[in-house]
Amino acid sequence: MSRDPIAEVRNLSVDFETIDGALKVVRGVSFEVQEGEVVGVVGETGCGKSVTAKVLLGILPSPPARIRGGEVYFLGRNLLALPAAERELLKQKIAYIPQDPTGSLNPVFSIGTLMIDMIVWRMSGQSLATYLRKKRDPRVTAQAENHAAEVLAKLYIPDPRSILRKYPMELSGGMKQRVLLAMALSGRPKILIADEPTTALDATTQKRTLHLIREKMEEEKLAGLYITHNLGVSRTFCHRTYVMYGGTVVEWGRTAELFDTPNHPYTKGLVDSIPRLSGRPFSGIDGQIPDYLNPPSGCRFHPRCQARMPVCEKEAPSMVQIGEERRVACWLHREQR
């Protein structure tokens, strides 16, 4: 793999301050996204997938969040070490598709207003605070409107000019998700981060939306970070996949190989939890995600692990290589080395 990834997270740790104390959510998370590849991050709800992505996006609310350690690189620059103005300009090259299309579009503004404002701001090359203080040039606004209509048309939205005049409540869930994708692509980004973008859609609309996202990412030659709890989506969509549990990365590798031959007990449990049309029995994983206020010592998965050993309760395993582009953090594999 390339030595200079588009995006890279190194040893990230994040806490959340609450009235009861600090929630130790993300611990030692590392991953990278190479140019032209789509990387998946999978795991149960509450495992820290979205928190990690929001740190990269720079939209994690602080407080209550507190970044306790780590580095977040984008295009070779550590976002956490940059002044706010520089960080904001660099983040314009990061596109984001959120989970809920309805909750992500302000209902009091038309689609045109939402898209044109964002496009004009990106064209200005200014920080958001500076842009908001300046009067808008009508010629630039007209140019942005044309660009917005062009992007909507590329996403197979019929009569894009009429869509620009509509309000979010006048659009279906699938159409809203296309609008969000159009907004993401309008800034000519280097990477697209999709946080379970089809969760609120029905099955047929999900499939069409996923196909459209993949098609446009390939056309635009975008790198991608796809966050999901759906292993099937990750298998068909992602080149490599990272598996998270309890705020930690437990295993990663090439997606097909990872799911065909999982090595970590948690990854095996996820794969075995998938219902199959063949009638083959499936099983879940006993227990719940850890209490982040008082997380387990050692490996965070050990209270639920059927293969746990005494060392698992005492010390967290480090990531070890078990093959080309395969890594796992599990004492079982350290014992076998």
Side-chain angles (χ1 to χ4, degrees):
M1 291 190 296
S2 167
R3 297 181 61 185
D4 298 310
I6 292 287
E8 183 179 10
V9 173
R10 299 178 185 172
N11 202 31
L12 179 68
S13 294
V14 180
D15 290 355
F16 285 83
E17 300 295 339
T18 73
I19 193 170
D20 296 316
L23 300 178
K24 306 169 187 67
V25 178
V26 173
R27 280 296 178 272
V29 167
S30 297
F31 65 82
E32 63 181 42
V33 182
Q34 300 290 334
E35 185 175 358
E37 78 165 344
V38 180
V39 169
V41 181
V42 304
E44 293 170 280
T45 298
C47 72
K49 307 184 299 293
S50 296
V51 170
T52 304
K54 287 179 179 178
V55 173
L56 178 56
L57 286 161
I59 60 173
L60 190 67
S62 179
R66 291 285 184 271
I67 298 175
R68 296 302 185 189
E71 299 169 308
V72 179
Y73 286 89
F74 177 60
L75 298 179
R77 304 186 70 186
N78 184 2
L79 296 177
L80 301 183
L82 290 177
E86 288 185 47
R87 184 167 62 247
E88 192 172 314
L89 290 174
L90 194 59
K91 287 190 309 183
Q92 291 186 20
K93 295 297 182 181
I94 304 176
Y96 177 53
I97 307 177
Q99 292 185 26
D100 178 16
T102 300
S104 302
L105 294 170
N106 193 323
V108 303
F109 294 110
S110 69
I111 299 301
T113 298
L114 294 170
M115 289 193 69
I116 292 167
D117 273 352
M118 186 187 64
I119 293 170
V120 172
W121 167 53
R122 285 175 169 167
M123 290 170 62
S124 72
Q126 300 169 336
S127 68
L128 185 58
T130 302
Y131 166 73
L132 291 174
R133 288 196 297 265
K134 292 192 174 183
K135 188 176 180 179
R136 186 187 296 175
D137 186 337
R139 293 170 298 179
V140 175
T141 301
Q143 184 180 351
E145 182 177 352
N146 290 333
H147 181 52
E150 289 172 4
V151 176
L152 290 174
K154 287 181 179 179
L155 295 173
Y156 311 115
I157 293 177
D159 196 4
R161 295 281 179 178
S162 69
I163 294 296
L164 291 176
R165 294 192 294 269
K166 292 182 181 293
Y167 287 80
M169 63 182 179
E170 299 179 85
L171 305 180
S172 67
M175 191 65 76
K176 290 174 190 173
Q177 198 61 278
R178 289 194 188 196
V179 168
L180 287 175
L181 179 57
M183 293 174 72
L185 297 177
S186 64
R188 299 180 177 86
K190 294 291 185 181
I191 186 171
L192 175 65
I193 299 176
D195 187 358
E196 302 194 48
T198 60
T199 297
L201 306 177
D202 62 78
T204 55
T205 306
Q206 281 185 17
K207 185 175 181 179
R208 288 197 300 269
T209 303
L210 286 171
H211 176 77
L212 187 59
I213 291 173
R214 185 167 190 170
E215 176 186 325
K216 294 307 169 185
M217 289 182 70
E218 290 175 352
E219 285 181 5
E220 302 292 333
K221 296 181 174 57
L222 288 178
L225 181 65
Y226 196 95
I227 298 165
T228 182
H229 57 259
N230 189 322
L231 303 189
V233 170
S234 182
R235 187 180 187 110
T236 59
F237 203 73
C238 304
H239 300 95
R240 291 186 298 118
T241 294
Y242 290 75
V243 181
M244 287 188 67
Y245 176 79
T248 65
V249 174
V250 297
E251 185 173 3
W252 68 266
R254 290 191 176 276
T255 302
E257 183 182 351
L258 180 75
F259 292 144
D260 286 342
T261 57
N263 287 283
H264 195 281
Y266 177 65
T267 311
K268 292 179 182 178
L270 286 180
V271 173
D272 290 341
S273 298
I274 302 173
R276 290 171 172 80
L277 294 176
S278 64
R280 174 181 159 189
F282 65 92
S283 59
I285 304 174
D286 292 335
Q288 303 291 329
I289 61 172
D291 175 8
Y292 290 123
L293 191 61
N294 296 292
S297 59
C299 173
R300 287 190 170 187
F301 185 62
H302 86 256
R304 303 173 68 183
C305 183
Q306 300 299 313
R308 62 181 177 269
M309 302 178 292
V311 68
C312 303
E313 303 178 24
K314 299 175 183 177
E315 186 179 350
S318 57
M319 196 71 70
V320 295
Q321 183 171 355
I322 55 172
E324 186 178 358
E325 293 193 49
R326 288 295 301 274
R327 306 287 189 278
V328 64
C330 181
W331 284 110
L332 291 172
H333 294 276
R334 294 185 69 88
E335 293 292 319
Q336 294 170 9
R337 289 170 64 83

